[in-house]
PDB file of all heavy atoms in Angstrom:
ATOM      1  N   ARG A   1     -39.653 208.668 -25.865  1.00 95.00           N
ATOM      2  CA  ARG A   1     -40.913 209.415 -25.905  1.00 95.00           C
ATOM      3  C   ARG A   1     -41.894 208.738 -26.858  1.00 95.00           C
ATOM      4  O   ARG A   1     -41.507 208.126 -27.862  1.00 95.00           O
ATOM      5  CB  ARG A   1     -40.672 210.875 -26.287  1.00 95.00           C
ATOM      6  CG  ARG A   1     -40.161 211.072 -27.676  1.00 95.00           C
ATOM      7  CD  ARG A   1     -40.181 212.554 -28.038  1.00 95.00           C
ATOM      8  NE  ARG A   1     -39.708 212.698 -29.408  1.00 95.00           N
ATOM      9  CZ  ARG A   1     -38.617 213.362 -29.739  1.00 95.00           C
ATOM     10  NH1 ARG A   1     -37.882 213.940 -28.821  1.00 95.00           N
ATOM     11  NH2 ARG A   1     -38.243 213.446 -31.008  1.00 95.00           N
ATOM     12  N   GLY A   2     -43.170 208.812 -26.508  1.00 96.00           N
ATOM     13  CA  GLY A   2     -44.182 208.160 -27.324  1.00 96.00           C
ATOM     14  C   GLY A   2     -45.441 207.951 -26.511  1.00 96.00           C
ATOM     15  O   GLY A   2     -45.606 208.512 -25.429  1.00 96.00           O
ATOM     16  N   THR A   3     -46.354 207.143 -27.049  1.00 97.00           N
ATOM     17  CA  THR A   3     -47.600 206.845 -26.358  1.00 97.00           C
ATOM     18  C   THR A   3     -47.560 205.399 -25.858  1.00 97.00           C
ATOM     19  O   THR A   3     -47.388 204.469 -26.646  1.00 97.00           O
ATOM     20  CB  THR A   3     -48.805 207.054 -27.302  1.00 97.00           C
ATOM     21  OG1 THR A   3     -48.775 208.410 -27.758  1.00 97.00           O
ATOM     22  CG2 THR A   3     -50.111 206.808 -26.560  1.00 97.00           C
ATOM     23  N   TYR A   4     -47.699 205.252 -24.555  1.00 97.00           N
ATOM     24  CA  TYR A   4     -47.601 203.936 -23.925  1.00 97.00           C
ATOM     25  C   TYR A   4     -49.002 203.444 -23.551  1.00 97.00           C
ATOM     26  O   TYR A   4     -49.828 204.210 -23.054  1.00 97.00           O
ATOM     27  CB  TYR A   4     -46.740 204.024 -22.656  1.00 97.00           C
ATOM     28  CG  TYR A   4     -45.264 204.233 -22.945  1.00 97.00           C
ATOM     29  CD1 TYR A   4     -44.790 205.452 -23.406  1.00 97.00           C
ATOM     30  CD2 TYR A   4     -44.348 203.194 -22.758  1.00 97.00           C
ATOM     31  CE1 TYR A   4     -43.445 205.651 -23.685  1.00 97.00           C
ATOM     32  CE2 TYR A   4     -42.996 203.384 -23.021  1.00 97.00           C
ATOM     33  CZ  TYR A   4     -42.551 204.614 -23.487  1.00 97.00           C
ATOM     34  OH  TYR A   4     -41.210 204.792 -23.754  1.00 97.00           O
ATOM     35  N   THR A   5     -49.244 202.164 -23.783  1.00 97.00           N
ATOM     36  CA  THR A   5     -50.538 201.566 -23.454  1.00 97.00           C
ATOM     37  C   THR A   5     -50.354 200.463 -22.427  1.00 97.00           C
ATOM     38  O   THR A   5     -49.492 199.592 -22.586  1.00 97.00           O
ATOM     39  CB  THR A   5     -51.212 200.984 -24.719  1.00 97.00           C
ATOM     40  OG1 THR A   5     -51.391 202.038 -25.666  1.00 97.00           O
ATOM     41  CG2 THR A   5     -52.570 200.373 -24.381  1.00 97.00           C
ATOM     42  N   CYS A   6     -51.162 200.536 -21.376  1.00 97.00           N
ATOM     43  CA  CYS A   6     -51.199 199.494 -20.343  1.00 97.00           C
ATOM     44  C   CYS A   6     -52.484 198.711 -20.565  1.00 97.00           C
ATOM     45  O   CYS A   6     -53.575 199.278 -20.494  1.00 97.00           O
ATOM     46  CB  CYS A   6     -51.201 200.168 -18.969  1.00 97.00           C
ATOM     47  SG  CYS A   6     -51.569 199.066 -17.581  1.00 97.00           S
ATOM     48  N   GLN A   7     -52.350 197.419 -20.861  1.00 97.00           N
ATOM     49  CA  GLN A   7     -53.541 196.593 -21.117  1.00 97.00           C
ATOM     50  C   GLN A   7     -53.549 195.383 -20.179  1.00 97.00           C
ATOM     51  O   GLN A   7     -52.559 194.660 -20.078  1.00 97.00           O
ATOM     52  CB  GLN A   7     -53.560 196.099 -22.564  1.00 97.00           C
ATOM     53  CG  GLN A   7     -54.843 195.345 -22.898  1.00 97.00           C
ATOM     54  CD  GLN A   7     -54.725 194.531 -24.171  1.00 97.00           C
ATOM     55  OE1 GLN A   7     -53.826 193.709 -24.302  1.00 97.00           O
ATOM     56  NE2 GLN A   7     -55.633 194.761 -25.106  1.00 97.00           N
ATOM     57  N   VAL A   8     -54.658 195.226 -19.479  1.00 96.00           N
ATOM     58  CA  VAL A   8     -54.789 194.111 -18.541  1.00 96.00           C
ATOM     59  C   VAL A   8     -55.996 193.273 -18.944  1.00 96.00           C
ATOM     60  O   VAL A   8     -57.035 193.807 -19.324  1.00 96.00           O
ATOM     61  CB  VAL A   8     -54.981 194.626 -17.095  1.00 96.00           C
ATOM     62  CG1 VAL A   8     -55.124 193.464 -16.108  1.00 96.00           C
ATOM     63  CG2 VAL A   8     -53.805 195.518 -16.674  1.00 96.00           C
ATOM     64  N   THR A   9     -55.838 191.950 -18.888  1.00 96.00           N
ATOM     65  CA  THR A   9     -56.999 191.064 -19.071  1.00 96.00           C
ATOM     66  C   THR A   9     -57.203 190.253 -17.806  1.00 96.00           C
ATOM     67  O   THR A   9     -56.234 189.859 -17.137  1.00 96.00           O
ATOM     68  CB  THR A   9     -56.832 190.095 -20.259  1.00 96.00           C
ATOM     69  OG1 THR A   9     -55.666 189.301 -20.041  1.00 96.00           O
ATOM     70  CG2 THR A   9     -56.701 190.841 -21.572  1.00 96.00           C
ATOM     71  N   TRP A  10     -58.466 190.039 -17.466  1.00 94.00           N
ATOM     72  CA  TRP A  10     -58.828 189.246 -16.297  1.00 94.00           C
ATOM     73  C   TRP A  10     -59.734 188.102 -16.729  1.00 94.00           C
ATOM     74  O   TRP A  10     -60.491 188.221 -17.698  1.00 94.00           O
ATOM     75  CB  TRP A  10     -59.611 190.083 -15.276  1.00 94.00           C
ATOM     76  CG  TRP A  10     -58.876 191.233 -14.690  1.00 94.00           C
ATOM     77  CD1 TRP A  10     -58.122 191.251 -13.565  1.00 94.00           C
ATOM     78  CD2 TRP A  10     -58.863 192.588 -15.184  1.00 94.00           C
ATOM     79  NE1 TRP A  10     -57.637 192.518 -13.321  1.00 94.00           N
ATOM     80  CE2 TRP A  10     -58.077 193.362 -14.300  1.00 94.00           C
ATOM     81  CE3 TRP A  10     -59.447 193.221 -16.300  1.00 94.00           C
ATOM     82  CZ2 TRP A  10     -57.848 194.717 -14.483  1.00 94.00           C
ATOM     83  CZ3 TRP A  10     -59.212 194.575 -16.488  1.00 94.00           C
ATOM     84  CH2 TRP A  10     -58.418 195.307 -15.585  1.00 94.00           C
ATOM     85  N   ARG A  11     -59.671 186.998 -15.976  1.00 94.00           N
ATOM     86  CA  ARG A  11     -60.593 185.888 -16.192  1.00 94.00           C
ATOM     87  C   ARG A  11     -61.613 185.887 -15.050  1.00 94.00           C
ATOM     88  O   ARG A  11     -61.236 185.961 -13.886  1.00 94.00           O
ATOM     89  CB  ARG A  11     -59.846 184.552 -16.232  1.00 94.00           C
ATOM     90  CG  ARG A  11     -60.740 183.361 -16.569  1.00 94.00           C
ATOM     91  CD  ARG A  11     -59.943 182.050 -16.535  1.00 94.00           C
ATOM     92  NE  ARG A  11     -58.952 181.994 -17.608  1.00 94.00           N
ATOM     93  CZ  ARG A  11     -59.224 181.651 -18.870  1.00 94.00           C
ATOM     94  NH1 ARG A  11     -60.476 181.367 -19.221  1.00 94.00           N
ATOM     95  NH2 ARG A  11     -58.270 181.583 -19.772  1.00 94.00           N
ATOM     96  N   ALA A  12     -62.897 185.835 -15.421  1.00 91.00           N
ATOM     97  CA  ALA A  12     -63.957 185.807 -14.415  1.00 91.00           C
ATOM     98  C   ALA A  12     -64.247 184.364 -14.017  1.00 91.00           C
ATOM     99  O   ALA A  12     -63.820 183.418 -14.680  1.00 91.00           O
ATOM    100  CB  ALA A  12     -65.216 186.472 -14.962  1.00 91.00           C
ATOM    101  N   SER A  13     -65.018 184.196 -12.929  1.00 89.00           N
ATOM    102  CA  SER A  13     -65.297 182.850 -12.423  1.00 89.00           C
ATOM    103  C   SER A  13     -66.072 182.008 -13.452  1.00 89.00           C
ATOM    104  O   SER A  13     -65.980 180.787 -13.452  1.00 89.00           O
ATOM    105  CB  SER A  13     -66.064 182.926 -11.101  1.00 89.00           C
ATOM    106  OG  SER A  13     -67.113 183.862 -11.216  1.00 89.00           O
ATOM    107  N   ASN A  14     -66.787 182.649 -14.363  1.00 91.00           N
ATOM    108  CA  ASN A  14     -67.509 181.890 -15.401  1.00 91.00           C
ATOM    109  C   ASN A  14     -66.660 181.713 -16.659  1.00 91.00           C
ATOM    110  O   ASN A  14     -67.180 181.405 -17.739  1.00 91.00           O
ATOM    111  CB  ASN A  14     -68.827 182.598 -15.749  1.00 91.00           C
ATOM    112  CG  ASN A  14     -68.584 183.975 -16.349  1.00 91.00           C
ATOM    113  OD1 ASN A  14     -67.438 184.392 -16.531  1.00 91.00           O
ATOM    114  ND2 ASN A  14     -69.663 184.682 -16.648  1.00 91.00           N
ATOM    115  N   ASN A  15     -65.332 181.958 -16.504  1.00 91.00           N
ATOM    116  CA  ASN A  15     -64.348 181.791 -17.577  1.00 91.00           C
ATOM    117  C   ASN A  15     -64.412 182.833 -18.683  1.00 91.00           C
ATOM    118  O   ASN A  15     -63.698 182.719 -19.679  1.00 91.00           O
ATOM    119  CB  ASN A  15     -64.421 180.386 -18.206  1.00 91.00           C
ATOM    120  CG  ASN A  15     -63.434 179.460 -17.525  1.00 91.00           C
ATOM    121  OD1 ASN A  15     -62.562 179.919 -16.796  1.00 91.00           O
ATOM    122  ND2 ASN A  15     -63.573 178.166 -17.747  1.00 91.00           N
ATOM    123  N   SER A  16     -65.276 183.846 -18.544  1.00 93.00           N
ATOM    124  CA  SER A  16     -65.261 184.909 -19.552  1.00 93.00           C
ATOM    125  C   SER A  16     -64.065 185.824 -19.282  1.00 93.00           C
ATOM    126  O   SER A  16     -63.535 185.864 -18.177  1.00 93.00           O
ATOM    127  CB  SER A  16     -66.561 185.712 -19.494  1.00 93.00           C
ATOM    128  OG  SER A  16     -66.652 186.368 -18.247  1.00 93.00           O
ATOM    129  N   MET A  17     -63.635 186.539 -20.324  1.00 93.00           N
ATOM    130  CA  MET A  17     -62.468 187.409 -20.205  1.00 93.00           C
ATOM    131  C   MET A  17     -62.886 188.873 -20.270  1.00 93.00           C
ATOM    132  O   MET A  17     -63.802 189.235 -21.008  1.00 93.00           O
ATOM    133  CB  MET A  17     -61.472 187.131 -21.335  1.00 93.00           C
ATOM    134  CG  MET A  17     -60.957 185.695 -21.364  1.00 93.00           C
ATOM    135  SD  MET A  17     -59.934 185.286 -19.943  1.00 93.00           S
ATOM    136  CE  MET A  17     -58.349 185.795 -20.547  1.00 93.00           C
ATOM    137  N   ILE A  18     -62.207 189.685 -19.490  1.00 92.00           N
ATOM    138  CA  ILE A  18     -62.441 191.125 -19.503  1.00 92.00           C
ATOM    139  C   ILE A  18     -61.098 191.786 -19.797  1.00 92.00           C
ATOM    140  O   ILE A  18     -60.072 191.378 -19.241  1.00 92.00           O
ATOM    141  CB  ILE A  18     -62.955 191.616 -18.132  1.00 92.00           C
ATOM    142  CG1 ILE A  18     -64.295 190.957 -17.800  1.00 92.00           C
ATOM    143  CG2 ILE A  18     -63.071 193.135 -18.097  1.00 92.00           C
ATOM    144  CD1 ILE A  18     -64.725 191.200 -16.373  1.00 92.00           C
ATOM    145  N   ALA A  19     -61.103 192.790 -20.675  1.00 94.00           N
ATOM    146  CA  ALA A  19     -59.860 193.505 -20.990  1.00 94.00           C
ATOM    147  C   ALA A  19     -60.092 195.004 -20.857  1.00 94.00           C
ATOM    148  O   ALA A  19     -61.144 195.518 -21.224  1.00 94.00           O
ATOM    149  CB  ALA A  19     -59.385 193.170 -22.393  1.00 94.00           C
ATOM    150  N   LYS A  20     -59.093 195.679 -20.310  1.00 95.00           N
ATOM    151  CA  LYS A  20     -59.158 197.138 -20.202  1.00 95.00           C
ATOM    152  C   LYS A  20     -57.788 197.689 -20.579  1.00 95.00           C
ATOM    153  O   LYS A  20     -56.766 197.024 -20.370  1.00 95.00           O
ATOM    154  CB  LYS A  20     -59.464 197.569 -18.751  1.00 95.00           C
ATOM    155  CG  LYS A  20     -60.893 197.292 -18.304  1.00 95.00           C
ATOM    156  CD  LYS A  20     -61.833 198.421 -18.697  1.00 95.00           C
ATOM    157  CE  LYS A  20     -63.289 198.079 -18.440  1.00 95.00           C
ATOM    158  NZ  LYS A  20     -63.690 198.252 -17.057  1.00 95.00           N
ATOM    159  N   GLU A  21     -57.776 198.922 -21.098  1.00 95.00           N
ATOM    160  CA  GLU A  21     -56.480 199.529 -21.367  1.00 95.00           C
ATOM    161  C   GLU A  21     -56.547 201.044 -21.163  1.00 95.00           C
ATOM    162  O   GLU A  21     -57.625 201.649 -21.256  1.00 95.00           O
ATOM    163  CB  GLU A  21     -55.988 199.211 -22.777  1.00 95.00           C
ATOM    164  CG  GLU A  21     -56.840 199.709 -23.905  1.00 95.00           C
ATOM    165  CD  GLU A  21     -56.235 199.345 -25.268  1.00 95.00           C
ATOM    166  OE1 GLU A  21     -55.808 198.194 -25.456  1.00 95.00           O
ATOM    167  OE2 GLU A  21     -56.198 200.242 -26.126  1.00 95.00           O
ATOM    168  N   ILE A  22     -55.410 201.629 -20.827  1.00 95.00           N
ATOM    169  CA  ILE A  22     -55.301 203.086 -20.753  1.00 95.00           C
ATOM    170  C   ILE A  22     -54.025 203.496 -21.480  1.00 95.00           C
ATOM    171  O   ILE A  22     -53.077 202.713 -21.600  1.00 95.00           O
ATOM    172  CB  ILE A  22     -55.263 203.631 -19.304  1.00 95.00           C
ATOM    173  CG1 ILE A  22     -54.115 202.999 -18.506  1.00 95.00           C
ATOM    174  CG2 ILE A  22     -56.591 203.450 -18.606  1.00 95.00           C
ATOM    175  CD1 ILE A  22     -53.836 203.739 -17.206  1.00 95.00           C
ATOM    176  N   MET A  23     -54.026 204.737 -21.963  1.00 96.00           N
ATOM    177  CA  MET A  23     -52.864 205.240 -22.701  1.00 96.00           C
ATOM    178  C   MET A  23     -52.267 206.440 -21.983  1.00 96.00           C
ATOM    179  O   MET A  23     -52.987 207.265 -21.423  1.00 96.00           O
ATOM    180  CB  MET A  23     -53.268 205.640 -24.110  1.00 96.00           C
ATOM    181  CG  MET A  23     -53.638 204.449 -24.969  1.00 96.00           C
ATOM    182  SD  MET A  23     -54.558 204.956 -26.420  1.00 96.00           S
ATOM    183  CE  MET A  23     -53.281 204.828 -27.637  1.00 96.00           C
ATOM    184  N   THR A  24     -50.944 206.515 -21.993  1.00 96.00           N
ATOM    185  CA  THR A  24     -50.225 207.628 -21.380  1.00 96.00           C
ATOM    186  C   THR A  24     -49.187 208.141 -22.369  1.00 96.00           C
ATOM    187  O   THR A  24     -48.396 207.362 -22.903  1.00 96.00           O
ATOM    188  CB  THR A  24     -49.496 207.179 -20.093  1.00 96.00           C
ATOM    189  OG1 THR A  24     -50.454 206.633 -19.186  1.00 96.00           O
ATOM    190  CG2 THR A  24     -48.785 208.345 -19.429  1.00 96.00           C
TER     191      THR A  24
END
C-alpha cells in the first residue's frame, strides 16, 4: 500500500522533451 506515480517522458520531433505524471 502507498502512493504510486506513473511518469512518462516523450521526445518531440524538434528534440524537446515532454514529461507527464499521475499519482494513484
Side-chain angles (χ1 to χ4, degrees):
R1 66 170 181 243
T3 302
Y4 289 72
T5 301
C6 169
Q7 185 196 55
V8 180
T9 59
W10 297 269
R11 185 182 293 279
S13 46
N14 63 2
N15 267 347
S16 64
M17 301 293 272
I18 298 170
K20 288 274 172 81
E21 62 179 46
I22 56 166
M23 291 163 103
T24 302

